[in-house]
Amino acid sequence: MNATTDLRICVLGLGSMGLGMAASLRKRGFAVTGYDPNAEALKRFAEAGGQGAASPAEAARGADVVLSVVVNAAQTETALFGPDGAAPALARGGIVVSSATMSPEAARALAARCAELGLGYLDAPISGGAVRAAAGELTIMASGPAGVFQRLRPVLDAIAAKVYELGDDAGTGAAFKIVNQLLAGVHIAAACEAITFAKAMNLDIAKVYEVITASAGNSWMFENRVPHILDGDYAPRSAVEIFTKDLGIVSDIGRGLKFPTPIAAMALQMFVMTAAAGMGRDDDASVARMIAGLVGLELPGMGA
Amino acid sequence: MNATTDLRICVLGLGSMGLGMAASLRKRGFAVTGYDPNAEALKRFAEAGGQGAASPAEAARGADVVLSVVVNAAQTETALFGPDGAAPALARGGIVVSSATMSPEAARALAARCAELGLGYLDAPISGGAVRAAAGELTIMASGPAGVFQRLRPVLDAIAAKVYELGDDAGTGAAFKIVNQLLAGVHIAAACEAITFAKAMNLDIAKVYEVITASAGNSWMFENRVPHILDGDYAPRSAVEIFTKDLGIVSDIGRGLKFPTPIAAMALQMFVMTAAAGMGRDDDASVARMIAGLVGLELPGMGA
């Protein structure tokens, strides 16, 4: 089981991220089984050459490694430990790699439950989006025992361009990811506030994009998301609901630590307002549409 | 007066930006006079080879171009139109270049008063900081008549690496700059919130810096300011009070337009809190010290 190509992989959650990771693994010669409660997702996986299954347990049977690429801690727990969950179906010595964004506390709890079953655990949040998932070029912010990293090396090499090894303990990877999400969420909300503010001042917002991306006001998210607004294209590359979730985790952690996060809290409210206005499943740049709708501004693609 | 090297320049405001711009102009062979109400600043200017004066009017006498590089609209108005102000001392056909960050409305009012005296006006906010000012490599976000741009070309070339020509009307340059400042201020406050949040979660914040600057949570300001926090160095490259001012302008414009700016408003409060805690003249990364002090965290340089 230590030979690189012998590892059998099970992917739980076949959305754009899980599907892309599965494809990257197959390209490197891994046998990949998969499960998703959504029949459409399961069908796409099978059409792409994957071995679909009727439950997490069935998908995990005989696998050495389970990659859990679902949305949050609750879904991870269900996929691993719910009825027909994957964890008990894995052989002793198997490894669970968990990629959903969650609190460090939730990651530690999952690691402990895996340990009870004699399973290894890698706390491995991912960043990079669907395109880089499909290309095997994700960034992984991971923590776990050195031995687990070592055994997973060929798997991580297949799916990631960059793996940060952040320590031995479950929870550290989760904490790094949540710091990233705090900033990412605030920067998206700020980009939407700034570009609609520019429009309210009658500026040419394409020119604003050109000037700001060359100035000290730039952010990775401003540069990446404002083109969606300029194009009036709100097809979800990443949805508003991802940030109501992730900034909600920031808020929960902050309350637990008695640590105030006022900027993140305000950004969270902007995403909640956007979801409340019916755009929760649209692209997260929809915060700009929410603001524009509120104040009666017309952005591209919002024609009367 | 149209020959490039003949233009005589007067610089009002000899802080780090004005001083650097004056030095860049002298390097290119321009004759430069200057004024600052601060005697120390005036002395540094003279020591560097500049021709100091006892008032804005005296500095501007015989000059073709006045560069006003003071802090805000009120100071600009005093320097140009106050007792011994520079504007009436300029010859008809002279040009005022105004670089303070201010509201578009304030820029338009200044342009109108210049026009009454037969003076040209360039609305020309700058970005880049003291180091780039001294190197003649500022970014200028400028608006004004084509003829004004044309006459100023050698002056702008001497002080800037990049000049955005944003239209004919005073106010447009100011509006672009204020959009940049909205984002810059939010990103500094968010960087300070995120890095202290990471510290509260017991993360290695130098490692957080490494991971975030390579991830989607990055911003120009995160990358530039967090090293100040890691080094515990709050010597002011740009002070907290710059952002209480500039985000205050954002807030004022928003109220005037009935345009809500909740993220900028929250960031403004973080800078106000930091100034209230006695750090108004320190580096703007001091927002992190304010948060750390509040919650009882120890950052570098904050030893008991």
Side-chain angles (χ1 to χ4, degrees):
Chain A
M1 193 166 113
N2 280 321
T4 42
T5 48
D6 282 0
L7 289 172
R8 290 155 301 174
I9 317 289
C10 163
V11 177
L12 302 177
L14 299 167
S16 57
M17 301 301 283
L19 204 61
M21 291 159 79
S24 299
L25 287 162
R26 273 205 318 279
K27 268 183 235 156
R28 299 283 191 104
F30 290 97
V32 185
T33 56
Y35 173 74
D36 195 294
N38 179 306
E40 280 296 317
L42 205 53
K43 196 175 148 211
R44 277 195 299 275
F45 175 67
E47 284 168 2
Q51 176 71 38
S55 71
E58 188 185 316
R61 195 102 51 209
D64 303 299
V65 176
V66 166
L67 302 185
S68 178
V69 198
V70 296
V71 167
N72 55 26
Q75 286 188 9
T76 307
E77 196 179 331
T78 300
L80 293 175
F81 299 107
D84 291 318
L90 278 175
R92 240 186 125 74
I95 300 176
V96 169
V97 179
S98 174
S99 291
T101 300
M102 65 182 72
S103 70
E105 196 178 1
R108 284 190 288 267
L110 288 168
R113 289 188 72 176
C114 285
E116 285 170 15
L117 296 175
L119 302 174
Y121 185 88
L122 192 73
D123 176 11
I126 51 180
S127 170
V131 172
R132 286 173 56 194
E137 294 177 357
L138 291 169
T139 296
I140 305 186
M141 304 177 187
S143 62
V148 166
F149 272 111
Q150 197 182 340
R151 280 186 57 208
L152 290 173
R153 184 59 53 202
V155 176
L156 299 175
D157 285 348
I159 60 178
K162 177 78 191 166
V163 179
Y164 288 105
E165 301 191 16
L166 300 168
D168 294 340
D169 301 327
T172 306
F176 270 78
K177 178 73 190 292
I178 212 69
V179 172
N180 185 72
Q181 295 306 92
L182 185 166
L183 288 161
V186 168
H187 294 169
I188 293 168
C192 292
E193 182 168 304
I195 206 77
T196 50
F197 183 61
K199 182 76 180 170
M201 291 193 293
N202 282 315
L203 301 184
D204 172 349
I205 60 175
K207 193 77 187 170
V208 170
Y209 180 74
E210 181 194 340
V211 173
I212 293 293
T213 51
S215 300
N218 197 27
S219 70
W220 194 100
M221 281 296 175
F222 185 94
E223 193 158 342
N224 186 269
R225 298 303 205 266
V226 171
H228 304 178
I229 300 166
L230 298 176
D231 295 342
D233 178 4
Y234 297 94
R237 275 68 107 207
S238 179
V240 168
E241 284 175 354
I242 297 291
F243 278 103
T244 55
K245 174 177 74 72
D246 289 359
L247 290 174
I249 296 171
V250 170
S251 174
D252 289 347
I253 295 173
R255 277 186 303 149
L257 293 171
K258 293 194 174 49
F259 185 94
T261 55
I263 309 278
M266 187 56 87
L268 169 58
Q269 292 305 315
M270 303 288 276
F271 288 106
V272 171
M273 289 168 75
T274 307
M279 296 177 267
R281 306 212 156 190
D282 295 341
D283 192 76
D284 51 29
S286 294
V287 172
R289 274 195 299 172
M290 181 277 291
I291 298 170
L294 188 70
V295 304
L297 275 179
E298 195 172 312
L299 292 174
M302 290 178 66
Chain B
M1 193 165 112
N2 279 320
T4 41
T5 49
D6 282 359
L7 289 172
R8 289 157 301 173
I9 316 290
C10 163
V11 177
L12 302 177
L14 299 167
S16 57
M17 301 300 284
L19 204 61
M21 291 160 80
S24 300
L25 287 161
R26 273 205 319 280
K27 267 183 236 158
R28 299 283 190 106
F30 290 97
V32 185
T33 57
Y35 172 74
D36 195 294
N38 180 307
E40 280 296 318
L42 205 53
K43 195 174 150 213
R44 276 195 299 274
F45 175 67
E47 285 168 0
Q51 175 72 37
S55 72
E58 188 185 318
R61 195 104 47 210
D64 303 300
V65 176
V66 166
L67 301 186
S68 177
V69 199
V70 296
V71 167
N72 56 25
Q75 286 188 8
T76 308
E77 197 179 332
T78 300
L80 294 175
F81 300 106
D84 291 318
L90 278 176
R92 241 187 124 73
I95 300 177
V96 168
V97 179
S98 173
S99 291
T101 299
M102 65 181 72
S103 71
E105 196 178 1
R108 283 190 289 268
L110 288 168
R113 289 188 71 176
C114 285
E116 285 169 15
L117 297 174
L119 301 174
Y121 185 88
L122 192 73
D123 176 11
I126 51 181
S127 171
V131 172
R132 285 174 55 194
E137 295 178 357
L138 291 169
T139 296
I140 305 186
M141 304 177 188
S143 62
V148 167
F149 272 110
Q150 197 182 338
R151 280 186 56 208
L152 290 173
R153 183 60 52 202
V155 176
L156 299 175
D157 285 349
I159 59 178
K162 177 77 191 169
V163 179
Y164 288 104
E165 300 191 17
L166 300 168
D168 295 339
D169 301 328
T172 307
F176 270 79
K177 178 73 190 292
I178 212 66
V179 172
N180 185 72
Q181 295 306 90
L182 186 166
L183 289 160
V186 169
H187 295 168
I188 293 168
C192 292
E193 181 167 305
I195 207 76
T196 49
F197 183 61
K199 182 76 180 170
M201 290 193 294
N202 282 315
L203 301 184
D204 172 349
I205 60 175
K207 193 77 189 173
V208 170
Y209 181 72
E210 181 195 340
V211 173
I212 293 294
T213 51
S215 299
N218 196 27
S219 69
W220 194 100
M221 282 296 175
F222 185 94
E223 194 158 341
N224 185 269
R225 297 305 205 266
V226 171
H228 303 178
I229 301 166
L230 298 176
D231 295 342
D233 177 5
Y234 297 94
R237 274 69 106 206
S238 178
V240 169
E241 283 175 356
I242 296 292
F243 278 102
T244 56
K245 173 178 74 71
D246 289 358
L247 290 175
I249 296 171
V250 170
S251 174
D252 289 346
I253 295 173
R255 277 186 303 149
L257 293 172
K258 292 193 174 50
F259 185 93
T261 55
I263 308 278
M266 188 56 86
L268 169 58
Q269 293 305 314
M270 303 288 276
F271 288 106
V272 171
M273 290 167 75
T274 307
M279 295 177 268
R281 306 211 156 193
D282 295 341
D283 193 76
D284 52 28
S286 294
V287 173
R289 274 195 300 173
M290 181 277 291
I291 298 170
L294 187 72
V295 304
L297 274 179
E298 195 172 313
L299 292 175
M302 291 179 64

